[in-house]
């Protein structure tokens, strides 16, 4: 029972850390490509129009931000769990992937950005492998 609670806490904390990293990189991206004057986050049509004007390079940092959520979140979850490290990291990656899919379905982004979907699981797996390797020493 304690192992399950630790795993749940590990996933929650991992998600929180991952989301913070994601948001930090998104804020940096917004500094590089700010919203036009007078555009409000609440106006969905204006946001979609603005996103359509951004260069492709603006979405590279978005890709990095999204994958950092799965990687750092999975890393933290695996560090906390101590057991079932792969399971908690992949859970963070899977939940991040679900959020990413929901995001991609609501925000117009370049089609190539869909490449990130399977990568959520790959980077979470890499994070767990890294923790497992560190713990083996």
């Amino acid at each position: 029972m304690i192992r399950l609670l630790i795993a749940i806490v590990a996933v929650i904390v991992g998600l929180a850390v991952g989301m913070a990293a994601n948001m930090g990189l998104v804020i940096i991206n917004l500094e590089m490509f700010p919203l036009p004057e007078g555009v409000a986050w609440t106006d969905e049509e204006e946001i979609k129009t603005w996103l359509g004007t951004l260069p492709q390079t603006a979405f590279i940092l978005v890709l990095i931000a999204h994958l950092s959520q799965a990687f750092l979140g999975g890393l933290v979850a695996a560090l906390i769990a101590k057991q079932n490290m792969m399971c908690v990291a992949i859970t963070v990656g899977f939940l991040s992937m679900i959020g990413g899919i929901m995001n991609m379905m609501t925000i117009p982004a370049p089609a190539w950005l869909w490449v990130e979907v399977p990568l959520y699981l790959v980077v979470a797996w890499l994070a767990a492998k890294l923790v497992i390797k560190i713990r083996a020493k």
Side-chain angles (χ1 to χ4, degrees):
M1 181 66 158
I2 282 291
R3 256 191 242 168
L4 178 61
L5 290 174
I6 291 171
I8 291 169
V9 168
V11 168
I12 291 170
V13 172
L15 281 171
V17 168
M19 284 189 261
N22 183 348
M23 190 52 88
L25 289 172
V26 167
I27 288 170
I28 290 170
N29 207 20
L30 283 171
E31 290 295 318
M32 294 168 55
F33 304 99
L35 274 173
E37 197 67 35
V39 174
W41 281 109
T42 54
D43 190 337
E44 190 175 316
E45 286 308 311
E46 285 184 357
I47 295 296
K48 286 181 180 181
T49 301
W50 169 67
L51 287 171
T53 66
L54 292 176
Q56 296 294 307
T57 54
F59 294 97
I60 292 172
L61 193 54
V62 170
L63 173 73
I64 293 167
H66 291 172
L67 296 180
S68 72
Q69 176 173 333
F71 181 80
L72 292 174
L75 186 79
V76 168
L79 286 169
I80 291 171
K82 296 185 182 171
Q83 294 181 356
N84 302 319
M85 293 174 278
M86 186 62 73
C87 183
V88 295
I90 293 295
T91 300
V92 170
F94 180 76
L95 293 172
S96 297
M97 182 180 71
I98 296 299
I101 291 169
M102 290 170 54
N103 188 38
M104 295 286 286
M105 292 176 76
T106 58
I107 297 173
W112 64 263
L113 198 56
W114 280 93
V115 73
E116 77 180 25
V117 172
L119 296 178
Y120 283 102
L121 299 177
V122 172
V123 298
W125 177 81
L126 288 171
K129 290 299 264 184
L130 179 62
V131 172
I132 290 167
K133 184 176 180 179
I134 290 169
R135 291 250 166 89
K137 290 183 179 182

